[in-house]
Amino acid sequence: MKIAIAGSGALGCGFGYMMKKGGHDVTLMDYWEDHIQAVQKNGLTVDVNGETGNVQLPMDKPENIEDTFDTVFIFTKSMGLRAMLEAIEHTLSNDTKIVCLLNGLGHAQTLAEYVLEENVIMGTTVWTAGIDEPGITHLMGQGPVEIQEADPSGKEATLEIVEMMQDVGLNGVYSDNVHFTTWRKACVNGTMNALCALLDANIQELFESSQSQSLITKIITEFSRAAEVENVELDIDEMVTYVTEISESVGAHYPSMHQDITNHRPTEIDFLNGKVAEMSEEYGFDAENCALITELIHAKEDVLGIK
Amino acid sequence: MKIAIAGSGALGCGFGYMMKKGGHDVTLMDYWEDHIQAVQKNGLTVDVNGETGNVQLPMDKPENIEDTFDTVFIFTKSMGLRAMLEAIEHTLSNDTKIVCLLNGLGHAQTLAEYVLEENVIMGTTVWTAGIDEPGITHLMGQGPVEIQEADPSGKEATLEIVEMMQDVGLNGVYSDNVHFTTWRKACVNGTMNALCALLDANIQELFESSQSQSLITKIITEFSRAAEVENVELDIDEMVTYVTEISESVGAHYPSMHQDITNHRPTEIDFLNGKVAEMSEEYGFDAENCALITELIHAKEDVLGIK
């Protein structure tokens, strides 16, 4: 399969590496100059669950890529999705499938502005990754990468991509309700990410605080109202239990939004609690807690001079 | 006048010093051992707006004081009021006036449990103070110390105390609506204190963030609903302007709740936003923002191991 990774940070590199190792024709696209030069010179080195390897593969800015691809995996930050879709337009044919594994809410609507619905495949992943230095990353995980076509006509192509991911060790799984999985994951990020960033706490510290269950329940209650607008039913108690169980498995880990704040990078709050608050105004349900949390995170970005 | 200061931290020492200098018989009461010993040995040294002096005056734990007093000024933290009232009970006669200048809401109700209403005088102060080391403090200010009797029968005594404070340079002012002043001050503390503590920001940074007006308006709106329950009318726009003007005059200063969090001390949130949230449940108005902010501050205390 001829594959491009649009947004080759930690997770993009990990996925690209696995697919290249698995025998596919993979091109990495990104804008980080040092990272591009390192990969062009020394190839991409990735540690996957403790085992390190190196692959040679092309990497460049999207505007320097002339090929078109069978499949493009998007791995930008939420706020980078729109710009990336504009930048890669010339690499897409009428048949190119776009696989979107981004965290957060509202991405299907953004994709619909740039890509035919029959080419869109939405998904979620529980794999995690990090960049050690330009050209050198690590990937951790074993859980499923769940994907589902946005339009019924895309099912066959989706199944092929599932099979490809299984073959290369990425645990591809066909989902018949990726919309639910997306909302469930948003509940995880909308609670842990936002609260740990606000409280300067790791996940274990957050869940050991006596307010955690109340705070998480308030947020998930509002997420469930927003999900209902999209015909996704989130059982509040079930979600609180799910999030709490995840917190127990990850322990004293700082979620990505905390890392963003610490490293003075913009957060993805607008695509989590902020999206729920935005939907609450459009559809007339109550989401005051998500609205306040979104404002507090933006205030924190402002105080730190993050643009 | 025979005066006791119940809770002789920074502000209590400053007030006690001014009254002693002004010729009154002043006793300091507190529980901080090093501070008590320093004052017993070297007297109390206070810098008032840049001018330093020293006075000799008795200081001890309340249980070691055998006198009764004409007037007791309470200068504990909000959460220390109840314990202090129990500790000083033996120093009160049937005529002892209690002057309560504490920040925060709900103190009149606590006082009513321990003291006859005719002996209660409520007030607010805009003076600020700090402790440099045991026995050495500073006091800054010139603004009014407004007081008013809780029961009409206490008016004459209140006017005497106003006069005493004028004589000693504390700018005593008789207020005919100290209830309003108390709520207005609570609006200042319920916005600046809570938000700066949550955002790890100083007052200038908070007000320069693009969310500040929205955040402050949300909080003040809920404070105004709570004030209404006590027949105090707070005009929301007026209050937002008032708080914003104060922020401009204080600038890059960290309010006390930020200092509490930084120094790992419990905050007074339950007597500000927490009291509004509590009243919202009792009286059935909406105060979700105050409720969330209170939980977030308590979560932050928990994360820092503050008890």
Side-chain angles (χ1 to χ4, degrees), chain A residues 85-290:
Chain A
L85 287 169
E86 287 170 5
I88 64 172
E89 207 169 0
H90 65 284
T91 71
L92 309 179
S93 74
N94 287 338
D95 301 319
T96 304
K97 304 300 168 194
I98 303 270
V99 183
C100 176
L101 296 174
L102 268 56
N103 275 330
L105 302 166
H107 301 316
Q109 290 88 327
T110 306
L111 281 160
E113 295 177 38
Y114 296 89
V115 188
L116 291 174
E117 198 177 11
E118 64 201 48
N119 285 334
V120 171
I121 297 170
M122 301 300 292
T124 57
T125 166
V126 291
W127 290 55
T128 59
I131 296 183
D132 303 309
E133 56 184 273
I136 304 181
T137 74
H138 57 270
L139 179 69
M140 289 166 295
Q142 53 180 35
V145 180
E146 297 186 40
I147 61 173
Q148 183 183 25
E149 65 285 354
D151 180 88
S153 68
K155 179 156 186 180
E156 200 183 328
T158 305
L159 290 172
E160 278 172 32
I161 294 168
V162 165
E163 200 186 326
M164 180 276 288
M165 288 197 290
Q166 280 175 359
D167 288 346
V168 305
L170 280 167
N171 198 4
V173 169
Y174 182 78
S175 167
D176 56 11
N177 198 355
V178 86
H179 215 47
F180 171 77
T181 325
T182 302
W183 275 97
R184 187 176 60 185
K185 191 155 186 219
C187 283
V188 175
N189 291 317
T191 50
M192 290 182 192
N193 266 283
L195 293 173
C196 286
L198 262 182
L199 300 173
D200 190 13
N202 65 41
I203 292 168
Q204 186 179 334
E205 289 169 336
L206 168 66
F207 280 80
E208 282 175 0
S209 81
S210 50
Q211 290 69 31
S212 68
Q213 291 298 300
S214 166
L215 287 167
I216 285 156
T217 304
K218 284 179 177 183
I219 294 170
I220 288 178
T221 300
E222 296 179 353
F223 271 68
S224 79
R225 291 179 188 141
E228 208 182 321
V229 172
E230 298 198 347
N231 298 312
V232 174
E233 197 189 326
L234 296 183
D235 181 281
I236 295 168
D237 291 342
E238 247 177 64
M239 280 303 121
V240 171
T241 304
Y242 178 77
V243 170
T244 305
E245 280 171 7
I246 289 193
S247 81
E248 283 159 11
S249 72
V250 291
H253 170 77
Y254 288 95
S256 61
M257 196 177 294
H258 184 280
Q259 296 176 35
D260 289 337
I261 289 286
T262 306
N263 296 311
H264 290 204
R265 293 185 302 240
T267 70
E268 296 186 285
I269 195 75
D270 284 341
F271 301 90
L272 293 164
N273 311 65
K275 181 59 72 176
V276 170
E278 191 188 310
M279 290 175 72
S280 78
E281 290 188 12
E282 191 172 347
Y283 297 100
F285 59 87
D286 177 54
E288 279 196 71
N289 292 287
C290 281

Side-chain angles (χ1 to χ4, degrees), chain A residues 211, chain B residues 77-79 104-105 189-191 193-195 197-198 219 223 257 260-261 265-278 289-299 301:
Chain A
Q211 290 69 31
Chain B
K77 284 273 195 180
S78 292
M79 45 281 201
L105 302 166
N189 291 317
T191 51
N193 266 285
L195 293 173
L198 261 182
I219 294 169
F223 271 67
M257 197 178 293
D260 289 336
I261 289 286
R265 292 185 301 241
T267 71
E268 296 186 284
I269 195 74
D270 284 341
F271 300 89
L272 293 163
N273 311 66
K275 180 60 70 176
V276 171
E278 191 188 311
N289 291 289
C290 282
L292 183 66
I293 285 168
T294 303
E295 283 192 0
L296 287 169
I297 291 284
H298 282 316
E301 291 170 341

Side-chain angles (χ1 to χ4, degrees), chain B residues 25-38:
Chain B
D25 175 358
V26 178
T27 298
L28 304 179
M29 302 195 275
D30 204 78
Y31 286 96
W32 183 17
E33 198 63 64
D34 291 352
H35 192 35
I36 293 170
Q37 282 177 16

